[in-house]
Amino acid sequence: MSFTLESKLANKVLNGFFENASYVKGAEASDADKAVFEALPEGPSAAEYPHLARWYNHIAAVQGLNAKTAAAPAAAPAAAEEDEDDIDLFGSDDEEVDEEAEKIKAQRLAEYQAKKAAKPKTIAKTTVTLDVKPWDDETDVDAMTQAVKDIKMDGLLWGGHQHVPVGYGIKKLQINCVVEDDKVALDDLADAIQELEDYVQSVDVAAMQKI
């Protein structure tokens, strides 16, 4: 059997749900709460549905929505007095609910920011393979290799290398390194290598991969 939020059964189900939950989902008021709030044709009776009424008044205060007037229940004056007691019991006063909601919100925000600050920052790194070409076959490739590895930069770590024949007795230096993206710019590294004018003719990036 289907039912809508206009039925008493729906109010009963929602009242049972909010007995153990503060919001439709999550730990803060959301669009889901607003959607359910606006689907209700009228404000629930605090006497019949105390948990639903508490949630209803809280969402109205937190999100600045216009609460709809509940239909007056057919009850004796004594029952009306019990309704007022229920309202006080569940703290339906808008000012009190709003103040409590702001305290909870501020506390959760502070906890989130503290947790975020304590979390270690991920350092972005890139593995790079460089092709360093000498002037000619008379260039001392071993000396060139050592000169390249002597270049120091914060965030730069040299790795393995090899000498690769390119023809006419010339061998290029192919060398690997790991750079921290926030500290080392590849253009700056290439410029530093090309400053080794006695050895280096050109520098090219042969490959690179984010770690």
Side-chain angles (χ1 to χ4, degrees):
M1 183 184 82
S2 63
F3 60 89
T4 67
L5 293 182
E6 298 178 0
S7 68
K8 289 186 177 181
L9 179 57
N11 285 346
K12 185 175 181 180
V13 171
L14 288 172
N15 185 66
F17 174 82
F18 287 117
E19 183 176 1
N20 299 307
S22 298
Y23 304 100
V24 173
K25 63 179 182 179
E28 295 183 357
S30 65
D31 289 341
D33 295 275
K34 183 178 179 181
V36 174
F37 179 98
E38 293 180 342
L40 292 171
E42 61 184 22
S45 167
E48 294 182 89
Y49 313 109
H51 307 299
L52 177 58
R54 169 184 53 78
W55 167 85
Y56 185 90
N57 291 327
H58 175 60
I59 296 303
V62 171
Q63 297 203 1
L65 301 172
N66 293 323
K68 305 159 194 172
T69 304
E81 293 178 1
E82 292 178 1
D83 287 352
E84 294 179 359
D85 292 339
D86 286 341
I87 293 173
D88 293 336
L89 177 62
F90 289 97
S92 62
D93 180 82
D94 288 347
E95 183 176 352
E96 293 180 2
V97 171
D98 193 33
E99 181 180 352
E100 184 64 23
E102 288 301 320
K103 288 182 180 179
I104 294 174
K105 191 174 183 180
Q107 180 181 354
R108 286 175 178 162
L109 180 59
E111 291 173 353
Y112 169 77
Q113 291 176 339
K115 185 177 180 181
K116 184 176 180 181
K119 186 177 180 180
K121 182 181 178 182
T122 301
I123 300 176
K125 296 182 180 180
T126 303
T127 299
V128 184
T129 300
L130 298 172
D131 281 346
V132 183
K133 296 177 182 178
W135 286 108
D136 51 36
D137 60 341
E138 295 183 359
T139 302
D140 188 337
V141 182
D142 290 329
M144 182 178 73
T145 301
Q146 187 58 52
V148 170
K149 285 194 170 185
D150 285 341
I151 295 174
K152 307 295 183 185
M153 290 183 177
D154 184 24
L156 169 65
L157 177 65
W158 291 112
H161 71 274
Q162 59 180 338
H163 297 153
V164 182
V166 295
Y168 304 102
I170 302 174
K171 292 182 179 181
K172 68 180 179 180
L173 167 64
Q174 193 169 78
I175 186 167
N176 298 321
C177 64
V178 175
V179 299
E180 292 185 22
D181 297 348
D182 290 341
K183 294 182 179 180
V184 180
L186 290 182
D187 288 344
D188 293 342
L189 178 57
D191 289 343
I193 295 174
Q194 290 189 150
E195 287 177 1
L196 304 172
E197 298 177 351
D198 292 339
Y199 304 109
V200 178
Q201 179 192 59
S202 64
V203 182
D204 296 307
V205 176
M208 58 189 300
Q209 182 177 359
K210 295 291 184 182
I211 300 177

